[in-house]
Amino acid sequence: MFAIAAIAFALFKLSTLLFLIAGAIVIAVIIHLIADPLRKHLKVPPKLGVFIAVIFLILIVAGASYLFGAKGADQFDRLAENLPEAVSKIQSTLSSGPFGEAVTNAITGNGGASAVDIAGFVRGMIGGVLTSLVYLISTATVGVILAMYPEHYRDGALKLLPPRLRPRVREAVNLSGQSLKGWLVGQLIAMAIIGTLTSLGLMLIGLPSWLALGLVAGLAQFVPVVGPILSALPGLILAASIDATMLLHALLVYVGVQQLESNFITPFVMRQTASIPMALTVFSIIGFGMLFGGLGALLATPITVAAYVLIQKLYIEDEFGDDLDIKGEEES
């Protein structure tokens, strides 16, 4: 019992490392989304396919940075400058009403949240970029290594299990990876569509920093349900600081895009993977976020997708005989 508690405590203390490993696995899966078709259809050797996929992804990132980097960076700078001013303006407007002070205190606390507080928060976020870059580079490097030698690391981990369990666990791991791959395909498509539509909608209504807000909305789509809601807040705050008409228009843009996402894009994503209950997705994001912070919330859904398939395959199917329907073919 003491050993189990010690292991659990060690895993909790090493949660950041474990989530970075999970992130590396996600990156490896993304690389294989490009490399596998090259291997299957063009007969490209696996390692060469991974190399081509990595170069392709680097070119995409570099091209996007070149096309949108200068404008996007300028809009993010203006967004960081405008948000504190927008918050102050909204607070002043609320305070002038009969119940404004009570509403402001209820939202911000008795001391209030000044524009200086908001600016400090923004600077704190920018200050964490360097650490995030170190994590990102390390995770991407490990992801490339995992993509280059997936069987080596998978089979090495399986050697920790008794020989009689290895074939069944290998099958479940392969199926879990296939489900994760399908989920990622859907999410990447959803992120691109949501980001593009949000940017276009906000540009058409004349909201400042529309490109930055659209990029935020697209990236936030990686965290289902919770991410899109949180990503709408900066745009709505900025719109509210202009006038009620702009707020209404911005709200219509965000709601309209999310309706499209929930009625068309999400059903497409669900067809690519195991049918994971939406409530499970939401509670996994909340739970991982409460336990492990932002990194936990970010990776909660892909971890849940993989774990859901493993539990279904290794427990539900074996114990009760219920089949698990996963789209896509298994890999050896």
Side-chain angles (χ1 to χ4, degrees):
M1 181 65 70
F2 176 78
I4 295 176
I7 292 173
F9 178 76
L11 291 176
F12 182 80
K13 296 298 288 185
L14 293 172
S15 59
T16 299
L17 175 62
L18 296 177
F19 280 115
L20 291 178
I21 294 173
I25 293 173
V26 171
I27 291 174
V29 171
I30 293 174
I31 292 172
H32 273 281
L33 288 176
I34 302 170
D36 286 349
L38 297 176
R39 173 176 60 84
K40 292 179 181 178
H41 302 300
L42 300 179
K43 308 303 180 184
V44 174
K47 290 183 177 56
L48 178 59
V50 170
F51 177 77
I52 294 173
V54 171
I55 296 299
F56 180 73
L57 289 173
I58 292 174
L59 290 176
I60 288 179
V61 173
S65 300
Y66 177 77
L67 292 174
F68 304 108
K71 189 174 182 62
D74 179 63
Q75 289 204 7
F76 272 110
D77 288 340
R78 280 189 286 166
L79 182 62
E81 294 173 0
N82 291 338
L83 273 180
E85 182 181 348
V87 172
S88 295
K89 186 174 181 180
I90 293 172
Q91 287 180 339
S92 298
T93 302
L94 285 174
S95 299
S96 64
F99 303 103
E101 185 176 354
V103 173
T104 302
N105 289 337
I107 295 174
T108 64
N110 291 332
S114 66
V116 176
D117 297 329
I118 301 294
F121 174 73
V122 172
R123 283 194 296 269
M125 290 180 62
I126 296 174
V129 168
L130 187 58
T131 301
S132 299
L133 283 176
V134 173
Y135 284 162
L136 179 60
I137 294 172
S138 302
T139 303
T141 302
V142 175
V144 172
I145 295 172
L146 291 177
M148 193 73 73
Y149 306 99
E151 295 85 2
H152 175 77
Y153 288 96
R154 181 199 61 191
D155 294 340
L158 289 176
K159 289 180 180 178
L160 298 173
L161 301 174
R164 61 183 177 81
L165 297 179
R166 292 173 190 172
R168 182 62 172 167
V169 175
R170 181 183 291 108
E171 178 188 5
V173 169
N174 289 341
L175 195 59
S176 178
Q178 190 64 31
S179 182
L180 180 58
K181 188 181 296 184
W183 178 82
L184 275 172
V185 169
Q187 286 303 114
L188 292 173
I189 293 173
M191 289 167 65
I193 294 175
I194 295 299
T196 301
L197 292 180
T198 303
S199 292
L200 289 175
L202 297 179
M203 179 185 68
L204 290 175
I205 66 174
L207 187 66
S209 303
W210 52 269
L211 180 58
L213 292 169
L215 288 173
V216 169
L219 292 173
Q221 188 63 34
F222 189 80
V223 182
V225 183
V226 178
I229 295 174
L230 295 179
S231 70
L233 293 179
L236 294 177
I237 291 172
L238 195 58
S241 69
I242 298 175
D243 55 45
T245 302
M246 181 62 74
L247 174 60
L248 177 60
H249 289 166
L251 184 61
L252 289 175
V253 169
Y254 280 110
V255 171
V257 171
Q258 288 309 311
Q259 284 298 310
L260 177 64
E261 181 270 335
S262 61
N263 289 292
F264 296 99
I265 300 174
T266 295
F268 170 80
V269 174
M270 298 302 290
R271 284 198 298 270
Q272 307 303 308
T273 72
S275 182
I276 300 177
M278 184 59 68
L280 178 61
T281 300
V282 175
F283 283 121
S284 69
I285 295 170
I286 295 173
F288 275 76
M290 292 175 65
L291 287 173
F292 307 111
L295 189 59
L298 178 66
L299 294 172
T301 306
I303 291 174
T304 302
V305 169
Y308 183 81
V309 175
L310 289 174
I311 293 172
Q312 289 276 357
K313 191 72 177 176
L314 297 176
Y315 177 69
I316 302 297
E317 188 173 303
D318 286 352
E319 293 294 326
F320 304 107
D322 294 334
D323 292 332
L324 177 62
D325 182 22
I326 301 290
K327 302 298 180 182
E329 59 188 52
E330 296 182 26
E331 298 178 358
S332 58

